[in-house]
Amino acid sequence: MSRPFSPRSSPFAGSFVRVNGKIRAREVRVVSQDGKQLGVLQLGEAINLARAQGVDLVEIAPNATPPVCRLVDYGKFRYEQAKKEKEARKHQHANKVKEVQLSPTIDPHDFSVKASHAIDFLCEEMKVKVTLRFRGREMAHQEFGFQVVKKFIQHLAPYGHPDAEPKLIGKGINLMLSPLPRNKRARNPNQEGQQAQGNGDGDESEQPPQTETKEKIEVTKSYPISAPNPAPAAFGHNPFAKLDLDPRGEERKD
């Protein structure tokens, strides 16, 4: 009877781990949680030992004779494995290659943009492939192409170094740049510029709105101030005396 095996094309084939009853060996070499060797035990004894300690029996070296198993919580084991894989992926950026294309008659602005992109790639631990293509009669003046490539190398010297001298292959010049170690590499000027711009925006937002305050003060000053009522000239003054006057200012005569 054929035993079921995980297909090779399965994405989980490489990370498959046997636990407890899924282990096929009759005898296993057991390692405790502290890393101590407990010797070779029968599979049933090892599983019972793991259950007594409240952990799992995880096969960590299936190709050994006998297979090596560890007493550990399976969830914790998977977490540690995922953490190690994540750390390993951080150092794989150097295997990635980004390409930058130049020309013998490149504009200075385009040259600075290409160099800025290459600096970003090198600061992210990536290699940069520089390609310069000759078109038509530009092949008659290859020295101009080599001058552009050498200028590009000098511009990126604080961030990366060429693996070899630039070579003419076919109708183009090819060059590979590798990033310098972090302790010897200059800081990325593009990231510093973005951080400075962000800090500047934050300072402006913290300043009080002076314009609104001035407008409020002006509006406050424009309000009329009512004068106090004049004091009566003498005791017995009639405040309704004006009602006895007609529109022409003369006293009414009833």
Side-chain angles (χ1 to χ4, degrees):
M1 182 177 179
S2 60
R3 297 181 179 178
F5 291 95
S6 58
R8 294 183 179 179
S9 59
S10 175
F12 302 99
S15 60
F16 179 75
V17 179
R18 297 186 179 93
V19 185
N20 298 329
K22 295 183 180 180
I23 301 174
R24 299 175 181 174
R26 296 180 180 179
E27 295 180 349
V28 293
R29 187 179 299 275
V30 183
V31 180
S32 66
Q33 301 182 45
D34 302 334
K36 297 180 180 179
Q37 297 285 342
L38 300 181
V40 179
L41 302 176
Q42 295 291 330
L43 180 60
E45 296 178 5
I47 294 176
N48 293 334
L49 181 61
R51 290 177 179 176
Q53 297 183 11
V55 294
D56 300 312
L57 185 67
V58 182
E59 188 180 45
I60 58 176
N63 297 328
T65 305
V68 180
C69 298
R70 183 181 175 187
L71 299 176
V72 64
D73 182 41
Y74 183 67
K76 182 179 179 181
F77 176 78
R78 292 296 300 168
Y79 173 76
E80 293 177 353
Q81 291 295 115
K83 192 174 181 180
K84 291 180 181 179
E85 293 176 0
K86 186 178 180 180
E87 291 292 333
R89 280 193 226 105
K90 290 183 179 180
H91 303 285
Q92 292 180 357
H93 289 289
N95 298 331
K96 295 184 179 180
V97 179
K98 296 291 185 177
E99 184 175 3
V100 176
Q101 295 184 359
L102 305 175
S103 65
T105 58
I106 188 171
D107 185 77
H109 176 71
D110 295 340
F111 182 88
S112 61
V113 172
K114 301 280 188 180
S116 178
H117 291 330
I119 290 173
D120 292 338
F121 297 147
L122 292 173
C123 292
E124 293 179 2
E125 304 294 338
M126 300 182 185
K127 289 188 175 183
V128 178
K129 180 181 179 181
V130 182
T131 305
L132 188 142
R133 299 292 182 185
F134 294 105
R135 297 181 180 179
R137 300 185 63 183
E138 292 177 350
M139 286 292 295
H141 301 280
Q142 300 177 6
E143 63 275 7
F144 294 114
F146 280 98
Q147 291 177 3
V148 172
V149 173
K150 290 181 180 180
K151 182 180 178 181
F152 196 78
I153 295 173
Q154 294 176 358
H155 192 82
L156 300 181
Y159 310 96
H161 61 90
D163 295 344
E165 292 294 329
K167 297 181 181 180
L168 178 65
I169 301 176
K171 293 185 178 181
I173 301 174
N174 294 336
L175 174 69
M176 185 68 70
L177 294 173
S178 297
L180 291 174
R182 291 186 179 181
N183 56 352
K184 298 182 180 180
R185 186 172 59 215
R187 293 184 179 180
N188 191 349
N190 301 330
Q191 294 180 356
E192 293 181 356
Q194 293 176 359
Q195 293 177 358
Q197 184 178 1
N199 296 335
D201 296 342
D203 296 341
E204 293 179 359
S205 61
E206 294 178 358
Q207 294 180 358
Q210 300 179 357
T211 306
E212 295 180 0
T213 306
K214 291 181 180 179
E215 292 179 357
K216 291 180 179 179
I217 294 173
E218 292 177 0
V219 172
T220 305
K221 290 182 179 179
S222 63
Y223 289 150
I225 301 175
S226 58
N229 295 328
F235 181 76
H237 175 71
N238 185 10
F240 303 99
K242 293 183 179 181
L243 299 177
D244 298 333
L245 299 177
D246 59 359
R248 292 177 295 178
E250 298 179 359
E251 187 175 358
R252 291 182 179 181
K253 296 180 180 179
D254 296 337

